[in-house]
Amino acid sequence: MDLKTPLSKLTGIGPNLLYKLNRLNLITIENLIYHFPFRYDDFSQTVNVKDALIGQLVTLQGEIWSIKNIYTRSKKILTQAIFNDGTSPIELTWFNQGWLTKQIVTGDKLQVAGKLTKYKNRLSIIMPKWEKIQITSPQPPSTNLHTGRLVPIYPETGGLTSKWLRTKISQILPQTIKEVEDPLPESIRDKMLPLNQAIEKIHFPKMWKEAEKARERLGFDELFYLSLQTQKTRLEWSQKPLVEPLNINIEDLNLLVNLLPFKLTSSQNKTLEEIIKDLKRNQPMNRLIQGEVGSGKTVVATIIAFLTYKNGLRVLFMAPTEILAFQHYETVSKLLAPLGISVGIYTGSRKKAKESDIIIGTHALLQGKLNTDDVGLIIIDEQQRFGVEQRTLLRKKAKLPHFLTMTATPIPRTVALTLYGDLDLSIIDELPKNRPKILTFLVPEKKRADSYKFIEKKVKEGDQVYVITPLIEESETLNTVKAAKVEFEKLKKIFPKLKLGLLHGRMKSREKEQVLKDFQSGKMQILISTSVVEVGMDIPNATIIVIEGAERFGLSQLHQLRGRVGRGTKESYCLLYTSVASNVDRRRLKYLVVTFDGLKLAELDLKIRGGGEVFGVKQSGRFEFKIASFYDIALVEKTRILAKNLLISDPMLDKYPKLQAKLESLASKVMPD
């Protein structure tokens, strides 16, 4: 047995179990020992029932006096046992685990753990963890896995429990941990917990301090590898074959800028200068524009597309959704049509590109049979939604294009330099001067009826409204969350004289396109939608956005949604409705009421929710963080500087073959062969 041994070779793992393991991407023994717990149940307090407190997490040692299955009227099974630790009997209850009566019988000595509760004057533990023991002393045996310690809880899937995972990992770890090689240079790792110890302690810590030390080491590794990989990619990009510098004619630039129906902001002009400087070099550009919602990133991209066209080259412009692709198609066509430039659309449902000068599309551009020999620029919007492998395939569509990516997701600069360290960064941090501030309100339930009257009044004055819900249909488990279809039916009764529409991701492309056209043209006054409108929608007449279940969204996403209104000159409103929001949720949402800076909201999101939920590292196609968090800005910056210094001293990592192999291994998980 070694780290590369497939789990299918292990005794007791058949096809059914193997399928479940594969769902968690657990293929080899190495995958399994790197499947880290995301939290721990603290069952380290072994006490007597008579000394325990109601509501306390406890571990008890005792004997099963009786155990039986009871069938409820709804044909569900309750397994109930009487357990006695010598000081007081208590009741143990399990739901839908009838097989337990075959594993636990009267007289068995058990160690059980869980929260002590009182029900009908009887002490009990609901769904306790348990394991059989030999009671030889009042202290729990050192071999306990499931009780009497900090018990690791793992990411699970149906039919594959944390109990099974910790049992299997405890068997495998002692046999394989010595094979784990630490690829970090000695100068970096000498003051940290050794890697093999960190893996052991993350799975089975004896105390909280050990778990924290293990997380520090493993989190450092994830951030360091990410930073090293992005900076190494940047270095490799700088060594790409030279390209012909573009000839940027200032008269061409002024021609389009003067045709615009508005004046560019100083941020837009600064970003244009940075991009034009790139295009004049004989090195292919690789730049990211990060900009507030509504800051005018698309206009900048259109100007650059125009300058590329004037050099006799074509442009590919890719968006993550058809809605956004059609929105860009409308915007770019409107800006460039007066100059006689052909703009094509290429999506799953529409392929009207032919040999257009600028082709706007979705993922379909990757699979399409387009002639891309003369493509000189590739633009990707909302680039964090595309995986590395998708961006790489798009690059391969052209000989050696310039590369411009955009995101409206606000990311603190230090984090952006790590997450996108392979890209040059431009920031558009101001909105057009005539853009009104969006008045934001946290609406209590008792004011809902009044807010509906306000909405009806504004619609009758000619305004339009978005109503955003977290789900498409009602959910049994999230029955307090508003669903788009249910809300649509409800609002039809509340606003019987108004024209309502419904939009969600499961609709066919043609249906979505028609709904958007109706809303844009004013045929529809209120659009009920899921967060599919988070980016791209640009309808100046929409002045109110209602967000149902606002507590279910992150601050950054709420800020993005809020940016769908206030696109014209009219005063605009964002109404936040909550269903079962806690005091913590309400305090968090109040930040949105008073804060309009996307970066500040992103930093708050980091502190409150953690980096994974804000930036979607997994979706970015780079690395999936298991331990690390962007919240630890100091560690993010430390790993970035260490990676930078290492590459300065050894750009090809020739002195560190193990580290090079590690990066190649990580890259192979997200990059095509």
Side-chain angles (χ1 to χ4, degrees), residues 91-114:
E91 189 172 78
L92 308 179
T93 303
W94 293 271
F95 302 111
N96 299 317
Q97 295 187 22
W99 44 266
L100 281 176
T101 55
K102 295 179 181 178
Q103 294 192 1
I104 305 172
V105 297
T106 300
D108 277 349
K109 306 294 190 297
L110 259 59
Q111 182 158 276
V112 300

PDB file of all heavy atoms in Angstrom, residues 91-114:
ATOM      1  N   GLU A  91     -32.227   8.114  28.175  1.00  0.00           N
ATOM      2  CA  GLU A  91     -32.777   7.538  26.953  1.00  0.00           C
ATOM      3  C   GLU A  91     -31.941   7.992  25.758  1.00  0.00           C
ATOM      4  O   GLU A  91     -31.614   9.185  25.632  1.00  0.00           O
ATOM      5  CB  GLU A  91     -34.224   8.002  26.784  1.00  0.00           C
ATOM      6  CG  GLU A  91     -34.968   7.302  25.661  1.00  0.00           C
ATOM      7  CD  GLU A  91     -36.445   7.670  25.666  1.00  0.00           C
ATOM      8  OE1 GLU A  91     -36.759   8.781  25.196  1.00  0.00           O
ATOM      9  OE2 GLU A  91     -37.257   6.867  26.169  1.00  0.00           O
ATOM     10  N   LEU A  92     -31.599   7.049  24.892  1.00  0.00           N
ATOM     11  CA  LEU A  92     -30.901   7.356  23.639  1.00  0.00           C
ATOM     12  C   LEU A  92     -31.894   7.143  22.500  1.00  0.00           C
ATOM     13  O   LEU A  92     -32.607   6.140  22.468  1.00  0.00           O
ATOM     14  CB  LEU A  92     -29.698   6.447  23.435  1.00  0.00           C
ATOM     15  CG  LEU A  92     -28.683   6.344  24.585  1.00  0.00           C
ATOM     16  CD1 LEU A  92     -27.569   5.371  24.215  1.00  0.00           C
ATOM     17  CD2 LEU A  92     -28.104   7.719  24.932  1.00  0.00           C
ATOM     18  N   THR A  93     -31.936   8.088  21.546  1.00  0.00           N
ATOM     19  CA  THR A  93     -32.884   7.978  20.431  1.00  0.00           C
ATOM     20  C   THR A  93     -32.173   8.221  19.105  1.00  0.00           C
ATOM     21  O   THR A  93     -31.434   9.204  18.953  1.00  0.00           O
ATOM     22  CB  THR A  93     -34.027   9.006  20.572  1.00  0.00           C
ATOM     23  OG1 THR A  93     -34.677   8.810  21.832  1.00  0.00           O
ATOM     24  CG2 THR A  93     -35.049   8.841  19.455  1.00  0.00           C
ATOM     25  N   TRP A  94     -32.411   7.285  18.166  1.00  0.00           N
ATOM     26  CA  TRP A  94     -31.913   7.451  16.795  1.00  0.00           C
ATOM     27  C   TRP A  94     -33.090   7.424  15.835  1.00  0.00           C
ATOM     28  O   TRP A  94     -34.065   6.694  16.043  1.00  0.00           O
ATOM     29  CB  TRP A  94     -30.956   6.316  16.415  1.00  0.00           C
ATOM     30  CG  TRP A  94     -29.656   6.286  17.156  1.00  0.00           C
ATOM     31  CD1 TRP A  94     -28.506   6.909  16.818  1.00  0.00           C
ATOM     32  CD2 TRP A  94     -29.355   5.547  18.351  1.00  0.00           C
ATOM     33  NE1 TRP A  94     -27.501   6.630  17.713  1.00  0.00           N
ATOM     34  CE2 TRP A  94     -27.999   5.789  18.672  1.00  0.00           C
ATOM     35  CE3 TRP A  94     -30.102   4.706  19.194  1.00  0.00           C
ATOM     36  CZ2 TRP A  94     -27.377   5.223  19.788  1.00  0.00           C
ATOM     37  CZ3 TRP A  94     -29.476   4.144  20.304  1.00  0.00           C
ATOM     38  CH2 TRP A  94     -28.124   4.411  20.583  1.00  0.00           C
ATOM     39  N   PHE A  95     -33.021   8.197  14.768  1.00  0.00           N
ATOM     40  CA  PHE A  95     -34.073   8.217  13.757  1.00  0.00           C
ATOM     41  C   PHE A  95     -33.646   7.437  12.521  1.00  0.00           C
ATOM     42  O   PHE A  95     -32.534   7.602  12.020  1.00  0.00           O
ATOM     43  CB  PHE A  95     -34.412   9.664  13.345  1.00  0.00           C
ATOM     44  CG  PHE A  95     -34.851  10.530  14.493  1.00  0.00           C
ATOM     45  CD1 PHE A  95     -34.047  11.570  14.943  1.00  0.00           C
ATOM     46  CD2 PHE A  95     -36.065  10.295  15.120  1.00  0.00           C
ATOM     47  CE1 PHE A  95     -34.447  12.368  16.004  1.00  0.00           C
ATOM     48  CE2 PHE A  95     -36.479  11.097  16.178  1.00  0.00           C
ATOM     49  CZ  PHE A  95     -35.666  12.123  16.624  1.00  0.00           C
ATOM     50  N   ASN A  96     -34.549   6.588  12.019  1.00  0.00           N
ATOM     51  CA  ASN A  96     -34.339   5.859  10.759  1.00  0.00           C
ATOM     52  C   ASN A  96     -33.026   5.081  10.716  1.00  0.00           C
ATOM     53  O   ASN A  96     -32.318   5.074   9.717  1.00  0.00           O
ATOM     54  CB  ASN A  96     -34.413   6.832   9.570  1.00  0.00           C
ATOM     55  CG  ASN A  96     -35.768   7.503   9.480  1.00  0.00           C
ATOM     56  OD1 ASN A  96     -36.796   6.859   9.648  1.00  0.00           O
ATOM     57  ND2 ASN A  96     -35.764   8.804   9.250  1.00  0.00           N
ATOM     58  N   GLN A  97     -32.695   4.460  11.816  1.00  0.00           N
ATOM     59  CA  GLN A  97     -31.504   3.605  11.875  1.00  0.00           C
ATOM     60  C   GLN A  97     -31.861   2.270  12.532  1.00  0.00           C
ATOM     61  O   GLN A  97     -31.241   1.838  13.497  1.00  0.00           O
ATOM     62  CB  GLN A  97     -30.368   4.311  12.638  1.00  0.00           C
ATOM     63  CG  GLN A  97     -29.870   5.569  11.929  1.00  0.00           C
ATOM     64  CD  GLN A  97     -28.641   6.163  12.585  1.00  0.00           C
ATOM     65  OE1 GLN A  97     -27.894   5.495  13.297  1.00  0.00           O
ATOM     66  NE2 GLN A  97     -28.420   7.452  12.328  1.00  0.00           N
ATOM     67  N   GLY A  98     -32.895   1.628  11.975  1.00  0.00           N
ATOM     68  CA  GLY A  98     -33.397   0.388  12.552  1.00  0.00           C
ATOM     69  C   GLY A  98     -32.362  -0.716  12.654  1.00  0.00           C
ATOM     70  O   GLY A  98     -32.442  -1.590  13.530  1.00  0.00           O
ATOM     71  N   TRP A  99     -31.360  -0.675  11.790  1.00  0.00           N
ATOM     72  CA  TRP A  99     -30.301  -1.691  11.808  1.00  0.00           C
ATOM     73  C   TRP A  99     -29.456  -1.651  13.078  1.00  0.00           C
ATOM     74  O   TRP A  99     -28.708  -2.582  13.369  1.00  0.00           O
ATOM     75  CB  TRP A  99     -29.398  -1.521  10.586  1.00  0.00           C
ATOM     76  CG  TRP A  99     -29.030  -0.088  10.301  1.00  0.00           C
ATOM     77  CD1 TRP A  99     -29.668   0.758   9.454  1.00  0.00           C
ATOM     78  CD2 TRP A  99     -27.962   0.675  10.888  1.00  0.00           C
ATOM     79  NE1 TRP A  99     -29.087   2.007   9.455  1.00  0.00           N
ATOM     80  CE2 TRP A  99     -28.025   1.976  10.331  1.00  0.00           C
ATOM     81  CE3 TRP A  99     -26.973   0.400  11.818  1.00  0.00           C
ATOM     82  CZ2 TRP A  99     -27.136   2.978  10.672  1.00  0.00           C
ATOM     83  CZ3 TRP A  99     -26.075   1.401  12.157  1.00  0.00           C
ATOM     84  CH2 TRP A  99     -26.163   2.674  11.598  1.00  0.00           C
ATOM     85  N   LEU A 100     -29.571  -0.573  13.866  1.00  0.00           N
ATOM     86  CA  LEU A 100     -28.760  -0.471  15.091  1.00  0.00           C
ATOM     87  C   LEU A 100     -29.062  -1.598  16.082  1.00  0.00           C
ATOM     88  O   LEU A 100     -28.199  -1.995  16.864  1.00  0.00           O
ATOM     89  CB  LEU A 100     -28.994   0.883  15.769  1.00  0.00           C
ATOM     90  CG  LEU A 100     -28.266   2.091  15.166  1.00  0.00           C
ATOM     91  CD1 LEU A 100     -28.672   3.366  15.882  1.00  0.00           C
ATOM     92  CD2 LEU A 100     -26.760   1.911  15.229  1.00  0.00           C
ATOM     93  N   THR A 101     -30.294  -2.115  16.061  1.00  0.00           N
ATOM     94  CA  THR A 101     -30.646  -3.177  17.019  1.00  0.00           C
ATOM     95  C   THR A 101     -29.882  -4.474  16.730  1.00  0.00           C
ATOM     96  O   THR A 101     -29.873  -5.390  17.566  1.00  0.00           O
ATOM     97  CB  THR A 101     -32.159  -3.455  16.988  1.00  0.00           C
ATOM     98  OG1 THR A 101     -32.557  -3.748  15.645  1.00  0.00           O
ATOM     99  CG2 THR A 101     -32.940  -2.261  17.503  1.00  0.00           C
ATOM    100  N   LYS A 102     -29.279  -4.557  15.531  1.00  0.00           N
ATOM    101  CA  LYS A 102     -28.432  -5.718  15.219  1.00  0.00           C
ATOM    102  C   LYS A 102     -26.980  -5.485  15.643  1.00  0.00           C
ATOM    103  O   LYS A 102     -26.220  -6.428  15.843  1.00  0.00           O
ATOM    104  CB  LYS A 102     -28.485  -6.012  13.715  1.00  0.00           C
ATOM    105  CG  LYS A 102     -29.858  -6.452  13.236  1.00  0.00           C
ATOM    106  CD  LYS A 102     -29.857  -6.715  11.734  1.00  0.00           C
ATOM    107  CE  LYS A 102     -31.246  -7.137  11.266  1.00  0.00           C
ATOM    108  NZ  LYS A 102     -31.295  -7.360   9.796  1.00  0.00           N
ATOM    109  N   GLN A 103     -26.605  -4.197  15.753  1.00  0.00           N
ATOM    110  CA  GLN A 103     -25.224  -3.874  16.130  1.00  0.00           C
ATOM    111  C   GLN A 103     -25.079  -3.648  17.634  1.00  0.00           C
ATOM    112  O   GLN A 103     -24.010  -3.851  18.197  1.00  0.00           O
ATOM    113  CB  GLN A 103     -24.757  -2.619  15.374  1.00  0.00           C
ATOM    114  CG  GLN A 103     -24.645  -2.833  13.873  1.00  0.00           C
ATOM    115  CD  GLN A 103     -23.912  -1.693  13.192  1.00  0.00           C
ATOM    116  OE1 GLN A 103     -23.462  -0.751  13.832  1.00  0.00           O
ATOM    117  NE2 GLN A 103     -23.785  -1.781  11.877  1.00  0.00           N
ATOM    118  N   ILE A 104     -26.150  -3.179  18.269  1.00  0.00           N
ATOM    119  CA  ILE A 104     -26.122  -2.913  19.714  1.00  0.00           C
ATOM    120  C   ILE A 104     -27.169  -3.798  20.382  1.00  0.00           C
ATOM    121  O   ILE A 104     -28.335  -3.796  19.975  1.00  0.00           O
ATOM    122  CB  ILE A 104     -26.432  -1.426  20.014  1.00  0.00           C
ATOM    123  CG1 ILE A 104     -25.475  -0.495  19.254  1.00  0.00           C
ATOM    124  CG2 ILE A 104     -26.363  -1.152  21.512  1.00  0.00           C
ATOM    125  CD1 ILE A 104     -25.849   0.975  19.340  1.00  0.00           C
ATOM    126  N   VAL A 105     -26.758  -4.531  21.397  1.00  0.00           N
ATOM    127  CA  VAL A 105     -27.711  -5.395  22.117  1.00  0.00           C
ATOM    128  C   VAL A 105     -27.628  -5.100  23.610  1.00  0.00           C
ATOM    129  O   VAL A 105     -26.664  -4.478  24.093  1.00  0.00           O
ATOM    130  CB  VAL A 105     -27.426  -6.893  21.857  1.00  0.00           C
ATOM    131  CG1 VAL A 105     -27.605  -7.220  20.380  1.00  0.00           C
ATOM    132  CG2 VAL A 105     -26.032  -7.282  22.330  1.00  0.00           C
ATOM    133  N   THR A 106     -28.648  -5.563  24.342  1.00  0.00           N
ATOM    134  CA  THR A 106     -28.682  -5.383  25.787  1.00  0.00           C
ATOM    135  C   THR A 106     -27.417  -5.971  26.416  1.00  0.00           C
ATOM    136  O   THR A 106     -27.002  -7.084  26.094  1.00  0.00           O
ATOM    137  CB  THR A 106     -29.921  -6.071  26.382  1.00  0.00           C
ATOM    138  OG1 THR A 106     -31.092  -5.487  25.790  1.00  0.00           O
ATOM    139  CG2 THR A 106     -29.974  -5.897  27.890  1.00  0.00           C
ATOM    140  N   GLY A 107     -26.788  -5.192  27.308  1.00  0.00           N
ATOM    141  CA  GLY A 107     -25.575  -5.637  27.980  1.00  0.00           C
ATOM    142  C   GLY A 107     -24.301  -5.088  27.372  1.00  0.00           C
ATOM    143  O   GLY A 107     -23.228  -5.162  27.989  1.00  0.00           O
ATOM    144  N   ASP A 108     -24.393  -4.515  26.152  1.00  0.00           N
ATOM    145  CA  ASP A 108     -23.194  -3.944  25.524  1.00  0.00           C
ATOM    146  C   ASP A 108     -22.679  -2.762  26.339  1.00  0.00           C
ATOM    147  O   ASP A 108     -23.455  -1.932  26.836  1.00  0.00           O
ATOM    148  CB  ASP A 108     -23.508  -3.473  24.101  1.00  0.00           C
ATOM    149  CG  ASP A 108     -23.445  -4.602  23.085  1.00  0.00           C
ATOM    150  OD1 ASP A 108     -22.967  -5.696  23.445  1.00  0.00           O
ATOM    151  OD2 ASP A 108     -23.873  -4.381  21.936  1.00  0.00           O
ATOM    152  N   LYS A 109     -21.344  -2.673  26.455  1.00  0.00           N
ATOM    153  CA  LYS A 109     -20.697  -1.528  27.092  1.00  0.00           C
ATOM    154  C   LYS A 109     -20.396  -0.510  26.000  1.00  0.00           C
ATOM    155  O   LYS A 109     -19.708  -0.809  25.026  1.00  0.00           O
ATOM    156  CB  LYS A 109     -19.401  -1.954  27.792  1.00  0.00           C
ATOM    157  CG  LYS A 109     -19.565  -3.105  28.802  1.00  0.00           C
ATOM    158  CD  LYS A 109     -20.417  -2.684  29.975  1.00  0.00           C
ATOM    159  CE  LYS A 109     -20.388  -3.739  31.084  1.00  0.00           C
ATOM    160  NZ  LYS A 109     -20.968  -5.047  30.672  1.00  0.00           N
ATOM    161  N   LEU A 110     -20.931   0.696  26.166  1.00  0.00           N
ATOM    162  CA  LEU A 110     -20.801   1.735  25.146  1.00  0.00           C
ATOM    163  C   LEU A 110     -20.217   3.017  25.721  1.00  0.00           C
ATOM    164  O   LEU A 110     -20.372   3.308  26.912  1.00  0.00           O
ATOM    165  CB  LEU A 110     -22.176   2.080  24.541  1.00  0.00           C
ATOM    166  CG  LEU A 110     -22.525   1.489  23.173  1.00  0.00           C
ATOM    167  CD1 LEU A 110     -22.478  -0.022  23.209  1.00  0.00           C
ATOM    168  CD2 LEU A 110     -23.895   1.984  22.726  1.00  0.00           C
ATOM    169  N   GLN A 111     -19.558   3.744  24.849  1.00  0.00           N
ATOM    170  CA  GLN A 111     -19.240   5.143  25.131  1.00  0.00           C
ATOM    171  C   GLN A 111     -20.076   5.951  24.151  1.00  0.00           C
ATOM    172  O   GLN A 111     -20.009   5.727  22.941  1.00  0.00           O
ATOM    173  CB  GLN A 111     -17.760   5.424  24.940  1.00  0.00           C
ATOM    174  CG  GLN A 111     -17.381   6.869  25.285  1.00  0.00           C
ATOM    175  CD  GLN A 111     -15.912   7.001  25.612  1.00  0.00           C
ATOM    176  OE1 GLN A 111     -15.492   6.768  26.739  1.00  0.00           O
ATOM    177  NE2 GLN A 111     -15.128   7.358  24.631  1.00  0.00           N
ATOM    178  N   VAL A 112     -20.926   6.825  24.668  1.00  0.00           N
ATOM    179  CA  VAL A 112     -21.808   7.619  23.815  1.00  0.00           C
ATOM    180  C   VAL A 112     -21.499   9.097  24.010  1.00  0.00           C
ATOM    181  O   VAL A 112     -21.014   9.513  25.067  1.00  0.00           O
ATOM    182  CB  VAL A 112     -23.300   7.344  24.120  1.00  0.00           C
ATOM    183  CG1 VAL A 112     -23.636   5.879  23.886  1.00  0.00           C
ATOM    184  CG2 VAL A 112     -23.668   7.768  25.533  1.00  0.00           C
ATOM    185  N   ALA A 113     -21.788   9.879  22.961  1.00  0.00           N
ATOM    186  CA  ALA A 113     -21.500  11.311  23.028  1.00  0.00           C
ATOM    187  C   ALA A 113     -22.587  12.084  22.313  1.00  0.00           C
ATOM    188  O   ALA A 113     -23.140  11.634  21.303  1.00  0.00           O
ATOM    189  CB  ALA A 113     -20.144  11.609  22.397  1.00  0.00           C
ATOM    190  N   GLY A 114     -22.902  13.239  22.845  1.00  0.00           N
ATOM    191  CA  GLY A 114     -23.907  14.101  22.237  1.00  0.00           C
ATOM    192  C   GLY A 114     -24.340  15.172  23.216  1.00  0.00           C
ATOM    193  O   GLY A 114     -23.725  15.367  24.273  1.00  0.00           O
TER     194      GLY A 114
END
